[in-house]
Amino acid sequence: MIIKTAVMRYGVNLLNFGSGTTPDSLLRQATDARDLGFEFAMISDHIAVTPDVHEVYPAPFYDQFVLAAYLAGRVPGLRLGTTITVVPYRHPLQTARMAANIDRLNDAGFILGAGVGWSAAEYEVLGVPFRERGAITDEYLTAIRAAWREDPTSFHGTYVSYDGVRTAPAPASSQLPVWVGGNSPAAQRRAARLGEGWHPFMPSRALLDEALPRIAVEAEAAGRPVPGLAPRLQIRVGEQPDTPERPLGHGSVGRIRGDLETLAGLGATDVLLDTYPGTPGERADAAEDRRVLELLMSVAQGTIGTS
């Protein structure tokens, strides 16, 4: 049985893209997640579906904030969030307002996952300098957090500058959580300085062993609490060699149970489960995704034997 920390919660990555994706199918994904016992659901981000994006996350692609607002009134009791919002794509006041609004509209609240993204082509289409994405993200996150605290808010940076902007409504949460995505040392430093959580994708035990002490040191240097560990695990059920570089979530059911025990032992606060295998050709149908999620929830609750 998993020795679960008192606050370790499980969530689902909603697949908001690809052939056959409709408002009804998205509502069904979210309802299934809640009914299976998952506490939160998160949504990925692209604005311009360039050829490189379409190859991995094909259109139709539903906007994460619009979808979250749509679900907020239809799936009560399910916390919503983004995994991740590509922060440089939007003006920080827009992101701050959308996140705060959804936190107000959704009875279970909202989580802003925040990262830099990966598609240079998408950056080019949007007219945002790809090579400056890290610096832009740091500045925009600082401005977003200020907008949630201050009404009116003023900010003067390299990329945005404004005075006396009204920001109400503030988030319903006393602190709308920011989960900083990314596995790199730069992302880890960003999480320590600007996040309530670190949200790595497909982390291995080797990555966590290296990164968690670094994040703790960075947070202490910044005079902030150490951010919680909130990883996103890509789920691949099947035999996998068990090496330190194996992504957690890849392996037999018994191995995945062990991964969840490992995360609990490391003090993880939240775990996001992602059934998307990484290419549209490998994607399972909705019924198979639901079966896998049901199996994983049973594993998380310690109700089935090792397979």
Side-chain angles (χ1 to χ4, degrees), residues 62-271:
Y62 282 78
D63 179 84
Q64 59 179 190
F65 287 104
V66 174
L67 177 55
Y70 171 78
L71 296 174
R74 291 169 172 83
V75 193
L78 183 68
R79 196 175 199 184
L80 299 169
T82 60
T83 178
I84 49 72
T85 295
V86 184
V87 173
Y89 286 176
R90 301 170 182 86
H91 193 286
L93 289 173
Q94 181 187 20
T95 302
R97 181 170 296 281
M98 289 190 296
N101 276 213
I102 297 170
D103 194 52
R104 286 273 177 184
L105 294 168
N106 189 40
D107 65 344
F110 188 75
I111 301 159
L112 180 66
V116 302
W118 55 270
S119 172
E122 189 172 13
Y123 268 86
E124 183 177 2
V125 167
L126 296 173
V128 181
F130 182 73
R131 292 184 180 275
E132 298 174 48
R133 64 196 186 280
I136 296 171
T137 297
D138 288 348
E139 181 174 304
Y140 281 18
L141 279 177
T142 302
I144 288 165
R145 297 179 70 96
W148 290 338
R149 292 191 310 267
E150 304 163 0
D151 184 19
T153 187
S154 298
F155 188 87
H156 298 280
T158 302
Y159 301 99
V160 288
S161 184
Y162 44 83
D163 285 296
V165 177
R166 294 289 178 177
T167 59
S173 312
S174 57
Q175 175 57 65
L176 195 160
V178 174
W179 291 0
V180 175
N183 295 15
S184 68
Q188 295 163 27
R189 291 190 294 271
R190 185 173 298 117
R193 297 193 313 269
L194 293 166
E196 280 67 50
W198 177 45
H199 186 50
F201 178 48
M202 293 177 59
S204 65
R205 180 61 192 262
L207 173 67
L208 296 179
D209 286 345
E210 178 183 356
L212 292 176
R214 178 187 293 127
I215 291 172
V217 169
E218 292 280 353
E220 183 178 5
R224 300 186 72 245
V226 177
L229 173 60
R232 172 175 158 188
L233 305 188
Q234 183 191 67
I235 301 301
R236 283 183 174 268
V237 180
E239 293 300 325
Q240 296 272 347
D242 189 26
T243 68
E245 288 72 34
R246 175 184 62 86
L248 303 184
H250 287 201
S252 67
V253 171
R255 186 76 68 195
I256 294 171
R257 176 188 289 109
D259 292 341
L260 298 179
E261 291 173 347
T262 293
L263 291 169
L266 291 171
T269 58
D270 301 85
V271 179

